[in-house]
Amino acid sequence: VSVHGFAEAIRAYRVIFPDSESQLIKLAQNLVIKHFEITEQRVKRRISSTNFLGALRAIWDDVLLMDGVLSEAALSNFSLEVAHATVKKYVASTFTYLLQDISDALLKVKVSPKEAAEEHPLQVALEASKKTVLQGSMDVLLDFRQLLDDELGLLVKLRAFIIDWVQEGFQDFFRSLDGCFLLLSGRKNSSSQDQGFSEGALGEKVLAGLVLVLAQLSEIAASFSSGGARGHENGHVFVSGEICQLFQLGGEKLLHHYINIRTRRVSTLLRKRFTTPNWVKHKEPREVHMFVDLFLQELKAVDSEVKQILPEGLLRKHQRSDSNGSTNSSRSNALLDDKMSRSNTQKARSQLLETHLAKLFKQKIEIFTKVEYTQESVETTIVKLCLKSLQEYVRLQTFNRSGFQQIQLDIHFLRTLLKENIEAEEAIDFLLDEVIVAASERCLDPIPLEPPILDKLVQ
């Protein structure tokens, strides 16, 4: 429709048909509504802020033109009411598309086989995701800034509303982003309320590396604000402190989720190891069992992932409250071996338990501490949980002497390697000793191998 022609027609009709005013007002209002409906359709298909401004400017020019020939219609005020819904939808859709961009960037971690062949695929994924979150948020702010700075009469009247919509939109966006991270990690089921996610994208098994990327992104997102809430006090709807707390909690959940995924893999490995053989009829050990190699492979994968994503931490050893406690694992082993190598089986078990109880009271070791966003903290926590899982599986079996000696040999091999690569040496020592004690408690004849024989088998 040529609005100029329409305006001239209105002028002529009013002269020829004086009673046509109400019908002309209805026609003019319908034309304005049509303009905004077309603009809303473009918003759904994703429109740039420049094009959106151009559409609003064209509509406003038409409104002013019709106002000049039909002032009774008060089209300026009428168009303001209609524009209110359109601009609000534009702000909401902008955040929806930003969330979609972030989700798409993260899903590439799962579906691209070429990335798996890269030297540091998780590091590449993290940097790409950070850029999408940070640069995407900045671009959105700049787009909204254009709306606020424009002197178009329509936008000037809506300026206060736009500020509220943007602040409320960012608040909802960050909440949705947290939900997006949990959904992609597999911790949250998809629902009709989840927006901005590719359908069917979450059907495949979640990669542990992706969860670690999401945890680190949450830690970064938590730093978007200093934790203040001055905007809320001034009547604004964006509360930075709430968002900061949301992502701190979300990041902790995801970090623990990553640890659980990795620990479950090892737990599955241990279950197969301990439920397969007949431990009561176990043959004399000849070498370290293959499950130890598989366990170390899992730890190597963890090491590779955390080094790509998490920063290094300050190496710190867990301190015992009693300075008289031994920190030398060979001394501890020698003591265990000495107590266990008596001919009388019952006496050996009794001595072993006494030694273990004495250690519990004299050497107070902090086994499980809060997980931090560092390589060492995550790796150490996974190892500790795996060793506790190993201890529980041992407690479910009954061993003959050879079966017990096989466990002793495997632990002897693990002890050296774990202590070389994992912090919290004393806690690791303690947990490894716990496995030996658990095996001796479940053994019919707990006579250990001598240290020279253990060393020879390990070599």
Side-chain angles (χ1 to χ4, degrees):
V1 174
S2 169
V3 179
H4 282 281
F6 183 68
E8 290 303 318
I10 290 176
R11 193 191 304 275
Y13 261 74
R14 296 197 66 184
V15 172
I16 301 171
F17 306 105
D19 296 333
S20 63
E21 181 181 290
S22 60
Q23 292 171 295
L24 293 173
I25 289 174
K26 188 175 180 180
L27 283 173
Q29 288 177 343
N30 284 340
L31 183 59
V32 171
I33 290 172
K34 282 290 184 184
H35 275 317
F36 279 107
E37 285 178 349
I38 293 170
T39 303
E40 284 187 23
Q41 291 300 319
R42 295 177 66 189
V43 165
K44 289 180 181 178
R45 296 192 298 268
R46 197 165 192 171
I47 185 174
S48 68
S49 59
T50 302
N51 289 338
F52 183 66
L53 275 171
L56 293 181
R57 193 168 282 109
I59 295 173
W60 188 247
D61 289 343
D62 291 343
V63 166
L64 295 180
L65 183 64
M66 289 186 287
D67 256 349
V69 296
L70 192 63
S71 58
E72 293 84 353
L75 288 181
S76 297
N77 292 333
F78 177 79
S79 62
L80 188 64
E81 294 175 11
V82 184
H84 187 280
T86 303
V87 177
K88 187 175 183 179
K89 286 180 181 177
Y90 168 75
V91 172
S93 70
T94 302
F95 284 114
T96 299
Y97 282 118
L98 175 58
L99 194 64
Q100 180 71 58
D101 291 342
I102 295 169
S103 176
D104 290 345
L106 290 167
L107 285 172
K108 289 178 182 178
V109 182
K110 300 173 63 178
V111 298
S112 175
K114 291 183 179 179
E115 283 190 349
E118 294 180 18
E119 187 177 357
H120 300 295
L122 294 183
Q123 190 174 2
V124 172
L126 177 62
E127 291 304 318
S129 304
K130 281 165 58 179
K131 184 177 180 181
T132 306
V133 173
L134 299 174
Q135 190 60 49
S137 299
M138 186 61 69
D139 290 343
V140 164
L141 281 173
L142 291 174
D143 285 347
F144 293 146
R145 185 78 253 175
Q146 274 190 278
L147 297 183
L148 293 175
D149 289 344
D150 200 283
E151 294 302 322
L152 185 66
L154 185 66
L155 292 175
V156 170
K157 294 179 180 180
L158 289 174
R159 188 168 288 164
F161 290 105
I162 293 173
I163 291 173
D164 282 346
W165 293 334
V166 170
Q167 291 187 353
E168 182 180 354
F170 259 110
Q171 190 85 1
D172 292 339
F173 163 74
F174 282 122
R175 291 195 192 101
S176 298
L177 186 62
D178 178 65
C180 169
F181 289 171
L182 293 176
L183 179 63
L184 291 175
S185 73
R187 279 185 57 91
K188 176 181 175 183
N189 294 326
S190 180
S191 69
S192 58
Q193 295 178 341
D194 295 316
Q195 298 179 351
F197 307 121
S198 303
E199 294 217 5
L202 303 173
E204 58 186 281
K205 191 174 181 180
V206 175
L207 295 179
L210 171 63
V211 178
L212 193 59
V213 170
L214 294 170
Q216 186 64 5
L217 274 179
S218 293
E219 177 72 358
I220 293 167
S223 65
F224 261 83
S225 75
S226 60
R230 288 175 295 176
H232 184 62
E233 291 170 2
N234 292 331
H236 296 159
V237 289
F238 182 80
V239 187
S240 58
E242 179 186 325
I243 295 303
C244 188
Q245 184 180 27
L246 177 72
F247 278 97
Q248 284 175 345
L249 293 175
E252 290 176 6
K253 289 179 184 177
L254 289 164
L255 200 60
H256 283 284
H257 186 42
Y258 170 76
I259 291 170
N260 289 337
I261 289 175
R262 280 300 179 189
T263 306
R264 280 200 301 268
R265 288 174 62 93
V266 175
S267 183
T268 301
L269 174 68
L270 293 174
R271 184 170 61 251
K272 292 179 181 178
R273 163 62 178 141
F274 283 94
T275 55
T276 303
N278 185 342
W279 288 100
V280 179
K281 298 181 179 180
H282 202 283
K283 295 181 180 180
E284 185 178 335
R286 299 294 181 186
E287 60 182 0
V288 177
H289 192 270
M290 183 179 65
F291 101 88
V292 177
D293 289 329
L294 298 176
F295 176 39
L296 293 173
Q297 285 177 17
E298 290 294 329
L299 295 183
K300 184 178 180 182
V302 171
D303 183 68
S304 173
E305 289 173 349
V306 298
K307 283 183 177 177
Q308 292 180 62
I309 301 300
L310 300 176
E312 291 185 6
L314 296 175
L315 288 175
R316 52 183 177 79
K317 302 295 182 183
H318 293 279
Q319 299 298 319
R320 294 173 175 171
S321 60
D322 188 341
S323 60
N324 293 325
S326 170
T327 60
N328 190 314
S329 64
S330 61
R331 274 185 61 191
S332 176
N333 286 337
L335 181 61
L336 286 170
D337 294 337
D338 179 59
K339 297 298 182 183
M340 293 166 55
S341 61
R342 301 180 185 275
S343 58
N344 187 304
T345 300
Q346 190 62 37
K347 188 174 182 180
R349 181 182 288 112
S350 176
Q351 292 285 359
L352 179 66
L353 293 177
E354 288 177 14
T355 302
H356 183 61
L357 286 172
K359 183 191 296 182
L360 283 175
F361 285 104
K362 290 184 179 180
Q363 304 170 355
K364 294 180 181 178
I365 306 172
E366 193 177 16
I367 302 298
F368 292 100
T369 56
K370 183 178 179 181
V371 183
E372 300 172 355
Y373 282 88
T374 64
Q375 299 170 16
E376 295 81 9
S377 179
V378 171
E379 284 189 83
T380 302
T381 301
I382 290 175
V383 171
K384 290 175 181 177
L385 289 171
C386 290
L387 293 181
K388 285 297 291 183
S389 182
L390 174 58
Q391 179 189 357
E392 294 305 315
Y393 279 114
V394 166
R395 283 177 172 168
L396 296 175
Q397 305 300 325
T398 300
F399 303 90
N400 64 359
R401 181 190 300 183
S402 296
F404 167 68
Q405 290 175 348
Q406 181 68 61
I407 300 297
Q408 183 193 7
L409 174 61
D410 295 341
I411 295 301
H412 183 76
F413 181 74
L414 270 176
R415 190 184 300 271
T416 303
L417 291 178
L418 291 180
K419 287 167 63 177
E420 287 177 354
N421 299 288
I422 303 296
E423 70 165 27
E425 179 181 318
E426 296 176 6
I428 298 300
D429 249 345
F430 180 82
L431 290 170
L432 290 169
D433 287 344
E434 287 266 275
V435 175
I436 298 295
V437 170
S440 72
E441 291 172 347
R442 299 295 301 163
C443 180
L444 303 173
D445 184 21
I447 305 301
L449 291 170
E450 295 295 329
I453 299 176
L454 285 173
D455 292 335
K456 185 176 181 180
L457 289 173
V458 164
Q459 290 169 6

